Amino acid sequence: MAADALALGPSSLVGVRVGVSVSESSELARLGLTDAHLKLALAEIARVVIRAGGTLVYGGHLQRDGYTAFLEGEVDRYGGTDRLLQLVVPWGEHRRMSLSELQARREALSLKGAFTYLDPSGRSIAADAQRGEQPAPVQDASVARSLTALREHLCAVTDARVLLGGKEDGYLGVAPGIIEEALLAIRAGQSIYAAGGFGGATATVAQVVCAVDDRWPPVQSTSDRWPAQLCESVETTGWSPDNGLDALENLQLAATHRPSEAASLIANGLARRFAAS
């Protein structure tokens, strides 16, 4: 499928909030891919949403070499002056940065987006709440809960979720981030777009989204914990992808590692699911 975002006009997604879940995938190397390929896919997908007037919602760390900064760059290139990027910062992240650092990040984003800072339970708070200029310590015990709270908040403020990559081992929190965000989206009845061709947790989610027996790319693993939890949530809630893509298109999205094809499929799905509403 050729890249084609024409299904989405310049105002097709105004008012639609698209959550983006992306992190490193340990399977990139064995697929002949690098993190640059993952970022290229993220850029193409972000462009589709931005040009259609939708809002990108992302939660994560604020390091200059991370996906937050990458998304800021894409909005800077294509987003005009509308606030098309909503960045949600978990408790442990903003507390370990100085207030001047946080202010500099807000100023850099300027009118193109906005920050929301969360307390350990996921409530929105002011960046300077109960602290001074210097970073404030965060107890390790509060990190896992604050990450779940972040993901619950993200689910509550979005209409659909795009998944890319994701760790399945060595994660922080009670579950891999993309797995937990997928579970929350399923329980909330949200549309999910699982670009599984880059492997990682998204490939595990895509197997369940597509209702197929075998995961792509295949892995040799004796653990079926996360697929089992995802399947249980689907069965309990009666969830279906409801993402504007048919079964074959969802399979294509689950398998492709071509950024333009992934973006085109997501564009078509978003157009069918949201553009007419």
Side-chain angles (χ1 to χ4, degrees):
M1 181 181 291
D4 178 13
L6 295 179
L8 286 171
S11 300
S12 298
L13 294 182
V14 170
V16 178
R17 302 159 300 175
V18 180
V20 180
S21 302
V22 56
S23 66
E24 301 88 349
S25 166
S26 62
E27 295 184 90
L28 288 173
R30 76 183 183 92
L31 294 170
L33 303 171
T34 69
D35 191 57
H37 294 96
L38 191 64
K39 284 185 174 178
L40 183 56
L42 177 60
E44 295 257 10
I45 294 164
R47 215 167 296 158
V48 161
V49 176
I50 292 167
R51 285 178 167 171
T55 299
L56 292 167
V57 183
Y58 179 71
H61 69 71
L62 299 179
Q63 302 311 304
R64 295 288 181 178
D65 60 348
Y67 294 108
T68 300
F70 185 81
L71 284 170
E72 288 181 82
E74 292 306 302
V75 171
D76 195 44
R77 273 192 287 273
Y78 302 104
T81 58
D82 296 325
R83 289 182 175 268
L84 298 181
L85 178 60
Q86 300 293 316
L87 297 173
V88 184
V89 190
W91 173 253
E93 178 64 19
H94 65 80
R95 295 284 285 188
R96 69 185 183 89
M97 299 177 68
S98 69
L99 291 180
S100 56
E101 286 178 304
L102 293 174
Q103 181 177 354
R105 295 305 304 275
R106 289 195 301 272
E107 291 174 352
L109 193 58
S110 187
L111 298 177
K112 296 179 175 62
F115 284 93
T116 298
Y117 305 98
L118 302 181
D119 72 6
S121 63
R123 290 188 293 264
S124 176
I125 60 171
D128 60 356
Q130 301 178 355
R131 58 168 292 181
E133 160 63 19
Q134 297 305 312
V138 174
Q139 295 181 351
D140 290 343
S142 69
V143 171
R145 174 55 195 156
S146 69
L147 288 173
T148 294
L150 163 70
R151 293 159 189 159
E152 290 170 343
H153 178 93
L154 292 171
C155 186
V157 299
T158 52
D159 303 300
R161 182 148 301 279
V162 173
L163 309 178
L164 274 169
K167 295 180 180 179
E168 292 189 273
D169 298 296
Y171 53 87
L172 297 174
V174 299
I178 281 178
I179 297 291
E180 189 169 25
E181 290 177 19
L183 285 166
L184 290 166
I186 289 169
R187 292 164 188 165
Q190 278 191 353
S191 300
I192 290 177
Y193 301 87
F198 302 91
T202 298
T204 297
V205 176
Q207 179 184 352
V208 176
V209 169
C210 297
V212 293
D213 293 333
D214 299 318
R215 179 191 190 273
W216 175 260
V219 291
Q220 293 182 347
S221 173
T222 57
S223 173
D224 61 355
R225 177 184 178 188
W226 305 122
Q229 284 198 20
L230 289 160
C231 288
E232 181 182 1
S233 290
V234 168
E235 292 170 3
T236 301
T237 62
W239 177 88
S240 66
D242 190 26
N243 60 5
L245 300 178
D246 62 26
L248 178 58
E249 290 169 325
N250 272 309
L251 283 170
Q252 287 179 284
L253 182 58
T256 186
H257 57 260
R258 294 174 54 202
S260 60
E261 184 175 20
S264 178
L265 286 161
I266 291 170
N268 288 331
L270 288 169
R272 296 170 192 158
R273 176 66 178 82
F274 294 103
S277 56

